[in-house]
């Protein structure tokens, strides 16, 4: 009996579910505090940046239809060693991202039901274990159940965000009152941002768009991926951009001061006074966070599985059960997703920064890989589909634009500020958790992987 695979619309919903999670519910406060009235523009800029990179990944998917997404593209374009490096760093970044999302849903759930001040580290750890166990059970039930859970959670989170959009704009139409202009007084100087502040704000908003790069990690579980992915990913990104820009604009029209001063668990809910609307947004955020954990539990273990299938890490990690689930890869990935947040003492800001920045290796390599595919210069040309329809704009111009945008963000990014933190006395010190995570994930693990493959080849 053949397994049920993800069709076109299920891929669209998987993409949406892989992206809309914690960011739009929890991050508007920081973006508004930095960008003020320019916040919608910041989200537009982040949407353009993410949309360009999403189109690059969509183009790569038509050339290579193997599991692993960025790993598979890098390996095909530049050979086994670069592929392995991208694969390991991508696995680390994906596991960190899963840890961020797991932390968010557990902390948010506990804060809602027992109060934020009563949440302890042991409670979060226990909640994490329960969450991972539930996700394992869902995956063990097979792709059909994963699809149903994915589709339901996606529709639920979109519905909650549509309610937030409607509440702000309908309130404005009924009363004629908008508080949008008040942001100028609340965030003075934001209208004359320098480039560094603009970049910092865009990266903060960009976090809410990340996840598109993981959608193609399980192409073997999708129908006609080389044709469906290049259409599904841009469509989903367009829908998400419209929702995000609508949400932040609506919240700023309704009550920007409440968002800036919010101590609520779900910051977005602070903008609205009506208790029913607040409850819909709060519980919608829980559905959203749980849904994105389902998407992560489906996609992330397949990165390890893809490398094992290529014999670049132990092949035992590629083994599937009767439902097509790589159980050992799931367990290893889930352990890393739990351990990293624990190492950061569940500090959301610290792991969100690492999660965002750790993705940029593939954002540099994949655009160059697409250009190599277009010109027939791939190192592992036998892994590239000969039937791919080449397009100069999508396969050369868009990747070059994406590369330029990535380089600009990396050059202007406040590396020192993001890899330091204040101690109990308020003194700025190095964030050794963040630095250690980057050294292990980007130096030690890739080096160990390359040594392993060299040992096998002898």
């Amino acid at each position: 009996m053949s397994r049920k695979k993800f069709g076109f619309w299920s891929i669209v919903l998987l993409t949406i579910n892989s992206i809309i999670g914690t960011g739009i519910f929890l991050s508007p406060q920081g973006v508004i505090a930095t960008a003020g009235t320019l916040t919608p523009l910041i989200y537009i800029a982040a949407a353009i940046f993410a949309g360009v990179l999403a189109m690059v990944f969509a183009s790569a998917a038509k050339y290579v239809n193997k599991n692993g997404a960025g790993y598979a593209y890098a390996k095909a374009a530049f050979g086994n060693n670069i592929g392995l490096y991208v694969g390991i760093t991508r696995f680390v970044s994906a596991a960190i991202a899963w840890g961020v999302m797991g932390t968010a849903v557990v902390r948010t759930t506990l804060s809602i039901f027992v109060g934020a001040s009563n949440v302890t580290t042991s409670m979060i750890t226990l909640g994490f274990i329960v969450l991972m166990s539930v996700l394992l059970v869902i995956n063990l039930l097979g792709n059909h159940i994963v699809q149903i859970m994915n589709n339901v959670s996606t529709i639920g989170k979109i519905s909650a965000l549509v309610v937030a959009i409607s509440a702000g704009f309908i309130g404005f139409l009924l009363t004629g009152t908008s508080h949008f202009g008040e942001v100028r007084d609340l965030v003075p100087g934001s209208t004359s941002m320098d480039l560094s502040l603009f970049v910092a704000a865009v990266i903060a908003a960009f976090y809410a768009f990340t996840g598109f790069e993981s959608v193609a990690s399980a192409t073997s579980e999708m129908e006609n991926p080389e044709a469906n992915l290049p259409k599904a990913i841009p469509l989903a990104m367009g829908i998400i951009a419209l929702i995000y820009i609508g949400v932040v604009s609506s919240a700023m029209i309704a009550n920007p001061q409440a968002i800036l001063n919010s101590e609520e668990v779900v910051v977005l809910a602070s903008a609205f006074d009506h208790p029913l609307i607040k409850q819909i947004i709060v519980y919608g955020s829980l559905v959203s966070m749980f849904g994105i954990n389902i998407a992560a539990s489906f996609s992330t273990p397949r990165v390890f599985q893809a490398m094992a299938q290529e014999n670049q890490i132990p092949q035992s990690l590629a083994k599937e059960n009767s439902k097509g689930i790589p159980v050992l890869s799931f367990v290893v990935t889930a352990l890393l997703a739990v351990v990293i947040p624990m190492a950061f003492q569940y500090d959301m800001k610290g792991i969100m920064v690492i999660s965002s920045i750790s993705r940029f290796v593939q954002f540099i390599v994949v655009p160059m890989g697409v250009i190599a595919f277009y010109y027939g210069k791939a190192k592992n040309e036998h892994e590239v589909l000969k039937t791919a329809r080449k397009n100069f704009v999508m396969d050369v111009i868009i990747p070059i634009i994406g590369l330029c945008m990535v380089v600009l963000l990396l050059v202007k990014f406040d590396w020192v500020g993001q890899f330091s933190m204040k101690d109990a006395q308020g003194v700025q010190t190095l964030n050794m958790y963040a630095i250690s995570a980057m050294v292990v994930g980007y130096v030690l693990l890739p080096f160990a992987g390359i040594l392993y493959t060299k040992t096998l080849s002898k």
Side-chain angles (χ1 to χ4, degrees), residues 333-375:
T333 310
L335 285 173
L336 183 59
V338 172
V339 167
I340 289 178
M342 288 177 66
F344 279 83
Q345 299 178 322
Y346 303 106
D347 171 28
M348 285 293 292
K349 182 180 178 182
I351 50 181
M352 281 173 70
V353 169
I354 296 297
S355 175
S356 294
I357 296 304
S358 61
R359 304 166 193 257
F360 277 82
V361 167
Q362 56 189 311
F363 292 161
I364 292 173
V365 174
V366 173
M368 293 191 295
V370 173
I371 296 171
F373 297 150
Y374 179 85
Y375 286 108

mmCIF file of all heavy atoms in Angstrom, residues 333-375:
data_model
loop_
_atom_site.group_PDB
_atom_site.id
_atom_site.type_symbol
_atom_site.label_atom_id
_atom_site.label_comp_id
_atom_site.label_asym_id
_atom_site.label_seq_id
_atom_site.Cartn_x
_atom_site.Cartn_y
_atom_site.Cartn_z
ATOM 1 N N THR A 333 17.260 14.465 16.531
ATOM 2 C CA THR A 333 16.900 15.865 16.284
ATOM 3 C C THR A 333 16.151 16.451 17.467
ATOM 4 O O THR A 333 16.412 17.585 17.888
ATOM 5 C CB THR A 333 16.035 15.988 15.013
ATOM 6 O OG1 THR A 333 16.665 15.287 13.941
ATOM 7 C CG2 THR A 333 15.852 17.448 14.624
ATOM 8 N N ALA A 334 15.202 15.690 18.003
ATOM 9 C CA ALA A 334 14.410 16.170 19.138
ATOM 10 C C ALA A 334 15.295 16.417 20.362
ATOM 11 O O ALA A 334 15.109 17.402 21.091
ATOM 12 C CB ALA A 334 13.310 15.161 19.469
ATOM 13 N N LEU A 335 16.281 15.541 20.589
ATOM 14 C CA LEU A 335 17.196 15.733 21.720
ATOM 15 C C LEU A 335 17.977 17.034 21.579
ATOM 16 O O LEU A 335 18.113 17.796 22.543
ATOM 17 C CB LEU A 335 18.159 14.551 21.825
ATOM 18 C CG LEU A 335 17.578 13.249 22.379
ATOM 19 C CD1 LEU A 335 18.599 12.119 22.268
ATOM 20 C CD2 LEU A 335 17.140 13.425 23.829
ATOM 21 N N LEU A 336 18.475 17.310 20.364
ATOM 22 C CA LEU A 336 19.214 18.556 20.144
ATOM 23 C C LEU A 336 18.294 19.762 20.310
ATOM 24 O O LEU A 336 18.695 20.787 20.886
ATOM 25 C CB LEU A 336 19.832 18.555 18.746
ATOM 26 C CG LEU A 336 20.714 19.763 18.388
ATOM 27 C CD1 LEU A 336 21.889 19.880 19.364
ATOM 28 C CD2 LEU A 336 21.229 19.646 16.966
ATOM 29 N N ALA A 337 17.059 19.625 19.828
ATOM 30 C CA ALA A 337 16.097 20.719 19.938
ATOM 31 C C ALA A 337 15.759 21.032 21.394
ATOM 32 O O ALA A 337 15.398 22.169 21.728
ATOM 33 C CB ALA A 337 14.813 20.377 19.176
ATOM 34 N N VAL A 338 15.881 20.037 22.264
ATOM 35 C CA VAL A 338 15.614 20.252 23.696
ATOM 36 C C VAL A 338 16.859 20.771 24.405
ATOM 37 O O VAL A 338 16.792 21.680 25.232
ATOM 38 C CB VAL A 338 15.132 18.936 24.357
ATOM 39 C CG1 VAL A 338 15.057 19.108 25.874
ATOM 40 C CG2 VAL A 338 13.780 18.531 23.811
ATOM 41 N N VAL A 339 18.028 20.206 24.072
ATOM 42 C CA VAL A 339 19.265 20.524 24.805
ATOM 43 C C VAL A 339 19.689 21.973 24.592
ATOM 44 O O VAL A 339 20.112 22.654 25.541
ATOM 45 C CB VAL A 339 20.397 19.563 24.370
ATOM 46 C CG1 VAL A 339 21.752 20.073 24.861
ATOM 47 C CG2 VAL A 339 20.129 18.175 24.917
ATOM 48 N N ILE A 340 19.582 22.485 23.360
ATOM 49 C CA ILE A 340 20.059 23.845 23.092
ATOM 50 C C ILE A 340 19.259 24.888 23.885
ATOM 51 O O ILE A 340 19.856 25.751 24.540
ATOM 52 C CB ILE A 340 20.051 24.146 21.583
ATOM 53 C CG1 ILE A 340 21.180 23.338 20.922
ATOM 54 C CG2 ILE A 340 20.232 25.632 21.308
ATOM 55 C CD1 ILE A 340 21.266 23.491 19.437
ATOM 56 N N PRO A 341 17.921 24.859 23.877
ATOM 57 C CA PRO A 341 17.192 25.815 24.725
ATOM 58 C C PRO A 341 17.537 25.669 26.214
ATOM 59 O O PRO A 341 17.598 26.663 26.936
ATOM 60 C CB PRO A 341 15.721 25.471 24.469
ATOM 61 C CG PRO A 341 15.718 24.878 23.106
ATOM 62 C CD PRO A 341 16.997 24.092 23.028
ATOM 63 N N MET A 342 17.779 24.432 26.656
ATOM 64 C CA MET A 342 18.180 24.237 28.051
ATOM 65 C C MET A 342 19.513 24.922 28.324
ATOM 66 O O MET A 342 19.701 25.550 29.372
ATOM 67 C CB MET A 342 18.273 22.739 28.369
ATOM 68 C CG MET A 342 16.929 22.038 28.465
ATOM 69 S SD MET A 342 17.089 20.253 28.759
ATOM 70 C CE MET A 342 17.821 20.252 30.401
ATOM 71 N N ALA A 343 20.449 24.817 27.362
ATOM 72 C CA ALA A 343 21.753 25.462 27.529
ATOM 73 C C ALA A 343 21.628 26.973 27.615
ATOM 74 O O ALA A 343 22.410 27.638 28.294
ATOM 75 C CB ALA A 343 22.671 25.071 26.372
ATOM 76 N N PHE A 344 20.624 27.510 26.926
ATOM 77 C CA PHE A 344 20.378 28.953 26.953
ATOM 78 C C PHE A 344 19.439 29.345 28.099
ATOM 79 O O PHE A 344 19.008 30.480 28.180
ATOM 80 C CB PHE A 344 19.762 29.407 25.625
ATOM 81 C CG PHE A 344 20.759 29.614 24.533
ATOM 82 C CD1 PHE A 344 21.221 28.550 23.784
ATOM 83 C CD2 PHE A 344 21.244 30.881 24.248
ATOM 84 C CE1 PHE A 344 22.142 28.736 22.771
ATOM 85 C CE2 PHE A 344 22.160 31.082 23.233
ATOM 86 C CZ PHE A 344 22.617 30.002 22.495
ATOM 87 N N GLN A 345 19.129 28.362 28.960
ATOM 88 C CA GLN A 345 18.218 28.591 30.090
ATOM 89 C C GLN A 345 16.883 29.162 29.596
ATOM 90 O O GLN A 345 16.260 29.985 30.251
ATOM 91 C CB GLN A 345 18.863 29.514 31.130
ATOM 92 C CG GLN A 345 20.146 28.921 31.709
ATOM 93 C CD GLN A 345 20.829 29.837 32.697
ATOM 94 O OE1 GLN A 345 20.847 31.061 32.510
ATOM 95 N NE2 GLN A 345 21.404 29.278 33.741
ATOM 96 N N TYR A 346 16.473 28.675 28.419
ATOM 97 C CA TYR A 346 15.195 29.044 27.806
ATOM 98 C C TYR A 346 15.058 30.548 27.566
ATOM 99 O O TYR A 346 13.960 31.099 27.562
ATOM 100 C CB TYR A 346 14.013 28.524 28.641
ATOM 101 C CG TYR A 346 14.056 27.038 28.836
ATOM 102 C CD1 TYR A 346 14.404 26.477 30.059
ATOM 103 C CD2 TYR A 346 13.786 26.173 27.780
ATOM 104 C CE1 TYR A 346 14.464 25.092 30.232
ATOM 105 C CE2 TYR A 346 13.847 24.798 27.939
ATOM 106 C CZ TYR A 346 14.180 24.265 29.167
ATOM 107 O OH TYR A 346 14.246 22.896 29.326
ATOM 108 N N ASP A 347 16.214 31.196 27.341
ATOM 109 C CA ASP A 347 16.207 32.624 27.001
ATOM 110 C C ASP A 347 15.807 32.771 25.534
ATOM 111 O O ASP A 347 16.599 32.508 24.632
ATOM 112 C CB ASP A 347 17.597 33.223 27.239
ATOM 113 C CG ASP A 347 17.707 34.654 26.699
ATOM 114 O OD1 ASP A 347 16.673 35.340 26.640
ATOM 115 O OD2 ASP A 347 18.827 35.056 26.339
ATOM 116 N N MET A 348 14.571 33.201 25.272
ATOM 117 C CA MET A 348 14.040 33.260 23.914
ATOM 118 C C MET A 348 14.853 34.185 23.025
ATOM 119 O O MET A 348 15.111 33.888 21.864
ATOM 120 C CB MET A 348 12.580 33.726 23.935
ATOM 121 C CG MET A 348 11.610 32.674 24.402
ATOM 122 S SD MET A 348 11.483 31.302 23.249
ATOM 123 C CE MET A 348 10.702 32.109 21.861
ATOM 124 N N LYS A 349 15.286 35.332 23.563
ATOM 125 C CA LYS A 349 16.012 36.284 22.732
ATOM 126 C C LYS A 349 17.319 35.686 22.227
ATOM 127 O O LYS A 349 17.666 35.791 21.044
ATOM 128 C CB LYS A 349 16.304 37.570 23.517
ATOM 129 C CG LYS A 349 17.031 38.620 22.676
ATOM 130 C CD LYS A 349 17.319 39.879 23.475
ATOM 131 C CE LYS A 349 18.096 40.891 22.635
ATOM 132 N NZ LYS A 349 18.436 42.108 23.393
ATOM 133 N N GLY A 350 18.046 35.008 23.130
ATOM 134 C CA GLY A 350 19.329 34.434 22.752
ATOM 135 C C GLY A 350 19.202 33.379 21.667
ATOM 136 O O GLY A 350 19.928 33.398 20.675
ATOM 137 N N ILE A 351 18.266 32.449 21.828
ATOM 138 C CA ILE A 351 18.162 31.377 20.835
ATOM 139 C C ILE A 351 17.485 31.849 19.552
ATOM 140 O O ILE A 351 17.736 31.291 18.482
ATOM 141 C CB ILE A 351 17.448 30.126 21.410
ATOM 142 C CG1 ILE A 351 16.122 30.485 22.091
ATOM 143 C CG2 ILE A 351 18.350 29.401 22.381
ATOM 144 C CD1 ILE A 351 15.405 29.286 22.682
ATOM 145 N N MET A 352 16.635 32.898 19.619
ATOM 146 C CA MET A 352 16.043 33.437 18.392
ATOM 147 C C MET A 352 17.115 34.073 17.512
ATOM 148 O O MET A 352 17.088 33.941 16.285
ATOM 149 C CB MET A 352 14.955 34.462 18.728
ATOM 150 C CG MET A 352 13.625 33.842 19.136
ATOM 151 S SD MET A 352 12.405 35.056 19.728
ATOM 152 C CE MET A 352 12.013 35.890 18.209
ATOM 153 N N VAL A 353 18.086 34.775 18.138
ATOM 154 C CA VAL A 353 19.171 35.382 17.368
ATOM 155 C C VAL A 353 19.996 34.300 16.677
ATOM 156 O O VAL A 353 20.281 34.364 15.478
ATOM 157 C CB VAL A 353 20.072 36.241 18.279
ATOM 158 C CG1 VAL A 353 21.348 36.643 17.544
ATOM 159 C CG2 VAL A 353 19.321 37.481 18.734
ATOM 160 N N ILE A 354 20.385 33.256 17.434
ATOM 161 C CA ILE A 354 21.162 32.161 16.861
ATOM 162 C C ILE A 354 20.366 31.481 15.754
ATOM 163 O O ILE A 354 20.893 31.131 14.694
ATOM 164 C CB ILE A 354 21.530 31.136 17.954
ATOM 165 C CG1 ILE A 354 22.445 31.771 18.985
ATOM 166 C CG2 ILE A 354 22.205 29.922 17.335
ATOM 167 C CD1 ILE A 354 23.765 32.214 18.426
ATOM 168 N N SER A 355 19.076 31.293 15.986
ATOM 169 C CA SER A 355 18.231 30.636 14.993
ATOM 170 C C SER A 355 18.201 31.415 13.688
ATOM 171 O O SER A 355 18.263 30.836 12.597
ATOM 172 C CB SER A 355 16.801 30.482 15.543
ATOM 173 O OG SER A 355 15.949 29.953 14.559
ATOM 174 N N SER A 356 18.092 32.748 13.772
ATOM 175 C CA SER A 356 18.033 33.573 12.558
ATOM 176 C C SER A 356 19.372 33.581 11.827
ATOM 177 O O SER A 356 19.446 33.329 10.627
ATOM 178 C CB SER A 356 17.637 35.012 12.911
ATOM 179 O OG SER A 356 16.323 35.062 13.403
ATOM 180 N N ILE A 357 20.461 33.862 12.559
ATOM 181 C CA ILE A 357 21.765 34.018 11.936
ATOM 182 C C ILE A 357 22.298 32.686 11.404
ATOM 183 O O ILE A 357 22.984 32.637 10.377
ATOM 184 C CB ILE A 357 22.760 34.638 12.942
ATOM 185 C CG1 ILE A 357 22.304 36.048 13.317
ATOM 186 C CG2 ILE A 357 24.158 34.670 12.363
ATOM 187 C CD1 ILE A 357 22.121 36.982 12.134
ATOM 188 N N SER A 358 21.963 31.588 12.091
ATOM 189 C CA SER A 358 22.519 30.296 11.694
ATOM 190 C C SER A 358 21.996 29.814 10.348
ATOM 191 O O SER A 358 22.531 28.863 9.778
ATOM 192 C CB SER A 358 22.204 29.242 12.768
ATOM 193 O OG SER A 358 20.810 29.081 12.909
ATOM 194 N N ARG A 359 20.992 30.455 9.801
ATOM 195 C CA ARG A 359 20.450 30.056 8.498
ATOM 196 C C ARG A 359 21.209 30.654 7.324
ATOM 197 O O ARG A 359 21.009 30.253 6.180
ATOM 198 C CB ARG A 359 18.980 30.493 8.391
ATOM 199 C CG ARG A 359 18.090 29.966 9.508
ATOM 200 C CD ARG A 359 16.759 30.711 9.531
ATOM 201 N NE ARG A 359 16.027 30.462 10.750
ATOM 202 C CZ ARG A 359 14.989 29.635 10.846
ATOM 203 N NH1 ARG A 359 14.583 28.991 9.789
ATOM 204 N NH2 ARG A 359 14.363 29.467 11.985
ATOM 205 N N PHE A 360 22.078 31.633 7.599
ATOM 206 C CA PHE A 360 22.619 32.424 6.502
ATOM 207 C C PHE A 360 23.657 31.699 5.649
ATOM 208 O O PHE A 360 23.941 32.128 4.534
ATOM 209 C CB PHE A 360 23.181 33.751 7.037
ATOM 210 C CG PHE A 360 22.122 34.792 7.208
ATOM 211 C CD1 PHE A 360 21.325 34.821 8.342
ATOM 212 C CD2 PHE A 360 21.883 35.726 6.222
ATOM 213 C CE1 PHE A 360 20.334 35.774 8.500
ATOM 214 C CE2 PHE A 360 20.884 36.683 6.368
ATOM 215 C CZ PHE A 360 20.116 36.704 7.504
ATOM 216 N N VAL A 361 24.237 30.597 6.139
ATOM 217 C CA VAL A 361 25.152 29.822 5.299
ATOM 218 C C VAL A 361 24.428 29.335 4.052
ATOM 219 O O VAL A 361 24.894 29.499 2.922
ATOM 220 C CB VAL A 361 25.741 28.627 6.080
ATOM 221 C CG1 VAL A 361 26.425 27.640 5.125
ATOM 222 C CG2 VAL A 361 26.742 29.105 7.112
ATOM 223 N N GLN A 362 23.251 28.738 4.251
ATOM 224 C CA GLN A 362 22.515 28.236 3.086
ATOM 225 C C GLN A 362 21.949 29.370 2.235
ATOM 226 O O GLN A 362 21.771 29.224 1.026
ATOM 227 C CB GLN A 362 21.403 27.288 3.514
ATOM 228 C CG GLN A 362 20.421 27.868 4.500
ATOM 229 C CD GLN A 362 19.485 26.805 5.054
ATOM 230 O OE1 GLN A 362 18.902 26.032 4.308
ATOM 231 N NE2 GLN A 362 19.340 26.767 6.366
ATOM 232 N N PHE A 363 21.703 30.551 2.855
ATOM 233 C CA PHE A 363 21.204 31.680 2.076
ATOM 234 C C PHE A 363 22.291 32.253 1.151
ATOM 235 O O PHE A 363 21.988 32.998 0.226
ATOM 236 C CB PHE A 363 20.696 32.786 3.004
ATOM 237 C CG PHE A 363 19.455 32.414 3.771
ATOM 238 C CD1 PHE A 363 19.088 33.111 4.910
ATOM 239 C CD2 PHE A 363 18.650 31.375 3.359
ATOM 240 C CE1 PHE A 363 17.952 32.779 5.620
ATOM 241 C CE2 PHE A 363 17.502 31.022 4.062
ATOM 242 C CZ PHE A 363 17.157 31.724 5.191
ATOM 243 N N ILE A 364 23.548 31.900 1.420
ATOM 244 C CA ILE A 364 24.652 32.296 0.535
ATOM 245 C C ILE A 364 24.927 31.200 -0.505
ATOM 246 O O ILE A 364 25.080 31.467 -1.692
ATOM 247 C CB ILE A 364 25.927 32.586 1.353
ATOM 248 C CG1 ILE A 364 25.730 33.851 2.201
ATOM 249 C CG2 ILE A 364 27.140 32.751 0.437
ATOM 250 C CD1 ILE A 364 26.868 34.121 3.169
ATOM 251 N N VAL A 365 24.963 29.948 -0.045
ATOM 252 C CA VAL A 365 25.351 28.843 -0.921
ATOM 253 C C VAL A 365 24.280 28.505 -1.948
ATOM 254 O O VAL A 365 24.588 28.279 -3.130
ATOM 255 C CB VAL A 365 25.701 27.598 -0.074
ATOM 256 C CG1 VAL A 365 25.966 26.394 -0.974
ATOM 257 C CG2 VAL A 365 26.917 27.878 0.802
ATOM 258 N N VAL A 366 23.015 28.457 -1.538
ATOM 259 C CA VAL A 366 21.951 28.023 -2.458
ATOM 260 C C VAL A 366 21.791 28.955 -3.659
ATOM 261 O O VAL A 366 21.675 28.475 -4.795
ATOM 262 C CB VAL A 366 20.614 27.833 -1.700
ATOM 263 C CG1 VAL A 366 19.468 27.542 -2.675
ATOM 264 C CG2 VAL A 366 20.740 26.695 -0.695
ATOM 265 N N PRO A 367 21.795 30.305 -3.494
ATOM 266 C CA PRO A 367 21.724 31.157 -4.697
ATOM 267 C C PRO A 367 22.865 30.897 -5.678
ATOM 268 O O PRO A 367 22.637 30.856 -6.898
ATOM 269 C CB PRO A 367 21.808 32.578 -4.120
ATOM 270 C CG PRO A 367 21.249 32.463 -2.746
ATOM 271 C CD PRO A 367 21.709 31.118 -2.262
ATOM 272 N N MET A 368 24.084 30.704 -5.157
ATOM 273 C CA MET A 368 25.201 30.408 -6.046
ATOM 274 C C MET A 368 24.999 29.048 -6.725
ATOM 275 O O MET A 368 25.364 28.855 -7.887
ATOM 276 C CB MET A 368 26.517 30.434 -5.265
ATOM 277 C CG MET A 368 26.894 31.814 -4.747
ATOM 278 S SD MET A 368 28.585 31.925 -4.094
ATOM 279 C CE MET A 368 28.478 30.828 -2.691
ATOM 280 N N GLY A 369 24.386 28.111 -5.998
ATOM 281 C CA GLY A 369 24.106 26.803 -6.569
ATOM 282 C C GLY A 369 23.115 26.865 -7.716
ATOM 283 O O GLY A 369 23.286 26.192 -8.739
ATOM 284 N N VAL A 370 22.064 27.685 -7.567
ATOM 285 C CA VAL A 370 21.065 27.821 -8.633
ATOM 286 C C VAL A 370 21.715 28.376 -9.902
ATOM 287 O O VAL A 370 21.423 27.929 -11.018
ATOM 288 C CB VAL A 370 19.897 28.722 -8.175
ATOM 289 C CG1 VAL A 370 18.938 29.012 -9.337
ATOM 290 C CG2 VAL A 370 19.132 28.050 -7.029
ATOM 291 N N ILE A 371 22.593 29.361 -9.735
ATOM 292 C CA ILE A 371 23.315 29.919 -10.898
ATOM 293 C C ILE A 371 24.160 28.827 -11.560
ATOM 294 O O ILE A 371 24.208 28.720 -12.799
ATOM 295 C CB ILE A 371 24.187 31.108 -10.462
ATOM 296 C CG1 ILE A 371 23.303 32.257 -9.943
ATOM 297 C CG2 ILE A 371 25.045 31.608 -11.625
ATOM 298 C CD1 ILE A 371 24.074 33.387 -9.286
ATOM 299 N N ALA A 372 24.805 27.998 -10.744
ATOM 300 C CA ALA A 372 25.605 26.891 -11.284
ATOM 301 C C ALA A 372 24.721 25.903 -12.049
ATOM 302 O O ALA A 372 25.108 25.407 -13.119
ATOM 303 C CB ALA A 372 26.346 26.179 -10.154
ATOM 304 N N PHE A 373 23.523 25.608 -11.520
ATOM 305 C CA PHE A 373 22.596 24.713 -12.219
ATOM 306 C C PHE A 373 22.225 25.278 -13.593
ATOM 307 O O PHE A 373 22.183 24.566 -14.587
ATOM 308 C CB PHE A 373 21.327 24.505 -11.402
ATOM 309 C CG PHE A 373 21.537 23.832 -10.074
ATOM 310 C CD1 PHE A 373 20.697 24.102 -8.994
ATOM 311 C CD2 PHE A 373 22.563 22.913 -9.880
ATOM 312 C CE1 PHE A 373 20.878 23.487 -7.774
ATOM 313 C CE2 PHE A 373 22.758 22.286 -8.655
ATOM 314 C CZ PHE A 373 21.914 22.585 -7.600
ATOM 315 N N TYR A 374 21.931 26.580 -13.612
ATOM 316 C CA TYR A 374 21.494 27.220 -14.859
ATOM 317 C C TYR A 374 22.564 27.104 -15.938
ATOM 318 O O TYR A 374 22.261 26.808 -17.104
ATOM 319 C CB TYR A 374 21.155 28.694 -14.601
ATOM 320 C CG TYR A 374 20.718 29.437 -15.851
ATOM 321 C CD1 TYR A 374 19.394 29.388 -16.268
ATOM 322 C CD2 TYR A 374 21.643 30.158 -16.614
ATOM 323 C CE1 TYR A 374 18.992 30.063 -17.420
ATOM 324 C CE2 TYR A 374 21.248 30.828 -17.758
ATOM 325 C CZ TYR A 374 19.914 30.771 -18.156
ATOM 326 O OH TYR A 374 19.523 31.421 -19.305
ATOM 327 N N TYR A 375 23.824 27.318 -15.557
ATOM 328 C CA TYR A 375 24.909 27.305 -16.546
ATOM 329 C C TYR A 375 25.531 25.922 -16.734
ATOM 330 O O TYR A 375 26.519 25.775 -17.449
ATOM 331 C CB TYR A 375 25.987 28.314 -16.149
ATOM 332 C CG TYR A 375 25.570 29.748 -16.391
ATOM 333 C CD1 TYR A 375 25.258 30.590 -15.328
ATOM 334 C CD2 TYR A 375 25.478 30.251 -17.684
ATOM 335 C CE1 TYR A 375 24.858 31.915 -15.553
ATOM 336 C CE2 TYR A 375 25.085 31.570 -17.917
ATOM 337 C CZ TYR A 375 24.782 32.385 -16.848
ATOM 338 O OH TYR A 375 24.390 33.687 -17.091
#
